[in-house]
Amino acid sequence: MRSRRPRVPSTMPAKPMLAPSTPLDLVFADYLADVEGTLRALTFQPRKSHLHVLHDLLDAKLHEEARKEHRMWRGPLTLTDFTTDNVNLVIKDLKKAHIYDARGKAIAARAVGTWLATKRKWYFGDERFPVSVLFELPIPPMKAKGRPVYRDDELASIRAAASSHPTRPHFHNAAHMIDELGVRAGFEVMTLRLRDVHLPKRPGDVGYIEIGEENTKTDAGARQVPLEARQVIALRTYLEMERPRYAGDDSDNEPLFLTRDGSAYQYSGWASMRRRFKEHVARVDPTIKYQASRNRGTRTARLREKLQDSEIKQIMGWSTDGMINRYAGEVPLETIAKKLSHPSPRAPRLRRAG
């Protein structure tokens, strides 16, 4: 069997700026340090996580390949292990189970390869025209449609799981209620600040959540998301009955959701909490394979029954109509017929919460 171990390309410059033996984790760390100020936080944090996991998966995969070929795997990973063939072994495995993880890690790896070439640190070809060593790495295409939406009975089970959580029921209930609004379940929810939440103070007020440019994925993502009765009740209960005292010193940017010791969540900790909640949902209802991001499609499908596409884009933080179709799929014929026979009445004007 042909070895998966890469060689330093013969077209590399005689004295590359990085030695082939440079540890790959240091290469990733240098890349992240260089781009942190140029990428949106919602892009940077997932990319950092993708590269961290990619490093570990690549190490495990090359160890497995070496065992198949009856070789000793020397480890740890170095720059010479960062090749299209090697990385693609990991991407293909991920693609079978989770297209979004596969796509995210392929994009992150390609970005590092491009950065290395641009900085003249590691590349193919002539120094005047450097080419990324991963320029041939395929990026798995996005699915034509998003994940299936949750049925009403499934949402009821998920809400029951959140409110029956053994340690932090009000926290999980509030977090899930925010998810049901279609707010992005990762960085957007994690970085919500206390001052971003505007609860209604009087009957007739409109409560809403403010999503800032620094907390979202695109320019269109900066938006105001109106709260409904479920979210208002869940947030008030969490704030009044379970939210710990903030342990930080930046009161202007105090996070809405805090760890049990009152600290701000880090991306890895937030992802770990989400995984544990997924396991809890499965214990409550084994038929549900919970994914928080499915709430965006569910929310979009529900909004389609009430709002125009321009209003849906405004609430969800999208700039194109195509995102509505990708997340919610086609509108069922029954829904169209119902809207034609029962047009929605004009909504009353409401005051916005201060």
Side-chain angles (χ1 to χ4, degrees), residues 159 162-163 168-181 189 192 209 227 230-239 242-243 256-257 270 274 277:
R159 291 167 185 163
S163 60
R168 305 182 72 194
H170 300 311
F171 166 88
H172 285 286
N173 192 41
H176 175 66
M177 284 296 106
I178 299 299
D179 291 344
E180 283 198 22
L181 288 176
V189 177
L192 280 176
I209 291 174
L227 295 170
R230 285 182 182 276
Q231 284 75 30
V232 172
I233 293 171
L235 285 168
R236 280 204 170 118
T237 304
Y238 166 64
L239 292 172
E242 196 177 84
R243 186 174 183 270
L256 169 63
F257 293 114
W270 185 261
R274 289 290 194 178
F277 181 67

Side-chain angles (χ1 to χ4, degrees), residues 88 124 207 217 257 313:
N88 201 36
F124 286 120
K217 196 172 184 179
F257 293 114
K313 289 189 296 181

Side-chain angles (χ1 to χ4, degrees), residues 13-270:
K15 295 181 179 180
M17 293 180 66
L18 286 180
S21 59
T22 302
L24 189 58
D25 59 348
L26 294 184
V27 174
F28 287 174
D30 286 346
Y31 162 77
L32 291 168
D34 194 50
V35 302
E36 183 172 9
T38 63
L39 297 177
R40 284 179 177 270
L42 192 58
T43 300
F44 176 80
Q45 292 293 346
R47 183 161 296 177
K48 179 180 179 180
S49 178
H50 279 309
L51 290 175
H52 176 75
V53 175
L54 176 63
H55 181 278
D56 292 346
L57 291 177
L58 182 58
D59 185 61
K61 192 65 180 178
L62 292 185
H63 185 276
E64 176 188 336
E65 291 294 310
R67 188 172 62 251
K68 289 178 181 178
E69 299 172 4
H70 306 291
R71 295 184 289 105
M72 291 292 294
W73 171 238
R74 52 160 182 76
L77 297 179
T78 65
L79 195 54
T80 54
D81 299 310
F82 193 55
T83 66
T84 294
D85 282 348
N86 287 347
V87 174
N88 201 36
L89 289 174
V90 174
I91 302 304
K92 286 193 297 185
D93 279 355
L94 288 172
K95 188 177 177 181
K96 298 173 186 175
H98 202 319
I99 187 67
Y100 295 91
D101 274 350
R103 181 176 169 83
K105 287 172 179 58
I107 291 173
R110 283 272 292 266
V112 174
T114 300
W115 174 79
L116 287 167
T118 301
K119 297 292 186 179
R120 306 300 197 276
K121 293 187 175 185
W122 192 252
Y123 53 92
F124 286 120
D126 189 275
E127 185 176 359
R128 296 170 298 172
F129 306 103
V131 178
S132 166
V133 295
L134 262 64
F135 79 98
E136 291 182 325
L137 178 69
I139 295 178
M142 190 71 77
K143 288 183 179 179
K145 294 182 180 179
R147 302 176 179 93
V149 302
Y150 287 117
R151 302 187 309 269
D152 289 344
D153 62 307
E154 291 176 322
L155 281 179
S157 293
I158 296 166
R159 291 167 185 163
S163 60
S164 66
H165 195 274
T167 58
R168 305 182 72 194
H170 300 311
F171 166 88
H172 285 286
N173 192 41
H176 175 66
M177 284 296 106
I178 299 299
D179 291 344
E180 283 198 22
L181 288 176
V183 180
R184 291 180 177 92
F187 200 72
E188 278 190 355
V189 177
M190 186 190 85
T191 58
L192 280 176
R193 294 161 298 198
L194 188 60
R195 62 183 172 88
D196 294 330
V197 178
H198 302 265
L199 297 177
K201 298 178 180 178
R202 302 177 295 274
D205 282 359
V206 175
Y208 65 98
I209 291 174
E210 191 93 25
I211 309 290
E213 286 188 11
E214 68 277 16
N215 307 112
T216 190
K217 196 172 184 179
T218 65
D219 291 337
R223 63 201 189 278
Q224 293 175 336
V225 181
L227 295 170
E228 298 179 15
R230 285 182 182 276
Q231 284 75 30
V232 172
I233 293 171
L235 285 168
R236 280 204 170 118
T237 304
Y238 166 64
L239 292 172
E240 295 173 4
M241 299 184 63
E242 196 177 84
R243 186 174 183 270
R245 182 185 296 275
Y246 179 45
D249 53 10
D250 187 2
S251 58
D252 289 338
N253 291 300
E254 181 177 344
L256 169 63
F257 293 114
L258 299 171
T259 64
R260 279 183 283 187
D261 64 4
S263 303
Y265 270 97
Q266 300 300 312
Y267 191 83
S268 58
W270 185 261

